[in-house]
Amino acid sequence: MVGALTAIFIVPVIILNSLAGLIGGAWLLWLGEWKLVLVGFLTAVSAPFWISILLIPGLIPAVPGLAALERGHNVLGTCLASISALWTYFVVTAWCLAVFWYVPRLGHHEDSIVPFLLFAYSTATGPWAVMAQKESQGGGGETARLTLSAACIGCALILGYVLVASRPVFTMAIWLLAIPMAAAFLLSLTIAVMESRHRARYGL
């Protein structure tokens, strides 16, 4: 039962991650929306640069948090690290919502909204996939993969909702993304607290 429920969410996300950008981009090129495709491509290529800038404020509590953990102040270090992670989740959520608000609105009334939604999904999640891959190559990256997974699930829900709903409202899209992102943040916070208790117990 659990495996079937998991497949309901995971399989569509895997398919979207593999094909959304390709199909949506090709479809938009056929419609003559080459400027939008070019902007999406440049956004993905420049992702490591602009994402690093957006995440700079999160480093403010992260640096003293790491120092506190190294000195054995596990509670303080965990709290500061959680604030840093919260900023990251906020930036990812804001970016994805901004893309899904802007890209589909570019479609003309006579055009299908499907390619715009597929391209929006790819543009919203693609940059974070690039960053997660880079962090994994450098060793670690578990937090980045968790954030990416939540973003992919939320964006997939938004895509499905817009296609199914007769009159979709943006407020519902916000909730569809915010809920998996909040769940992922709470999971990462739980893991951080457990690691903090482990350090305290064994004097690490």
Side-chain angles (χ1 to χ4, degrees):
M1 182 64 178
V2 175
L5 291 175
T6 303
I8 292 175
F9 290 99
I10 298 302
V11 172
V13 168
I14 294 176
I15 296 175
L16 282 173
N17 289 345
S18 303
L19 301 177
L22 180 62
I23 296 177
W27 198 336
L28 289 176
L29 287 175
W30 183 71
L31 293 174
E33 299 286 350
W34 61 270
K35 291 182 180 179
L36 178 58
V37 176
L38 179 60
V39 170
F41 174 76
L42 294 177
T43 299
V45 172
S46 61
F49 173 73
W50 61 263
I51 287 178
S52 299
I53 295 177
L54 290 177
L55 296 182
I56 286 177
L59 297 177
I60 297 175
V63 173
L66 180 60
L69 290 173
E70 292 177 348
R71 295 176 182 176
H73 304 298
N74 296 319
V75 175
L76 176 61
T78 301
C79 290
L80 291 174
S82 299
I83 295 174
S84 176
L86 183 61
W87 174 257
T88 300
Y89 277 92
F90 170 77
V91 171
V92 175
T93 302
W95 167 257
C96 293
L97 288 174
V99 170
F100 268 97
W101 180 85
Y102 180 73
V103 173
R105 292 167 65 90
L106 297 177
H108 304 290
H109 293 294
E110 65 271 13
D111 295 330
S112 172
I113 196 175
V114 175
F116 292 91
L117 289 175
L118 291 175
F119 194 74
Y121 178 91
S122 178
T123 305
T125 61
W128 307 105
V130 173
M131 291 298 294
Q133 183 179 10
K134 286 185 175 295
E135 289 192 19
S136 298
Q137 292 173 349
E142 291 80 6
T143 301
R145 287 194 295 269
L146 178 61
T147 307
L148 173 63
S149 298
C152 288
I153 292 173
C155 289
L157 291 174
I158 293 176
L159 191 154
Y161 164 69
V162 174
L163 289 177
V164 172
S166 57
R167 299 183 64 181
V169 293
F170 194 68
T171 304
M172 178 59 69
I174 294 176
W175 281 108
L176 289 174
L177 179 61
I179 290 176
M181 293 298 288
F185 172 72
L186 292 176
L187 178 59
S188 65
L189 180 60
T190 301
I191 294 173
V193 171
M194 293 176 62
E195 291 180 349
S196 176
R197 290 179 178 178
H198 178 76
R199 295 192 194 97
R201 178 178 300 176
Y202 295 99
L204 300 176

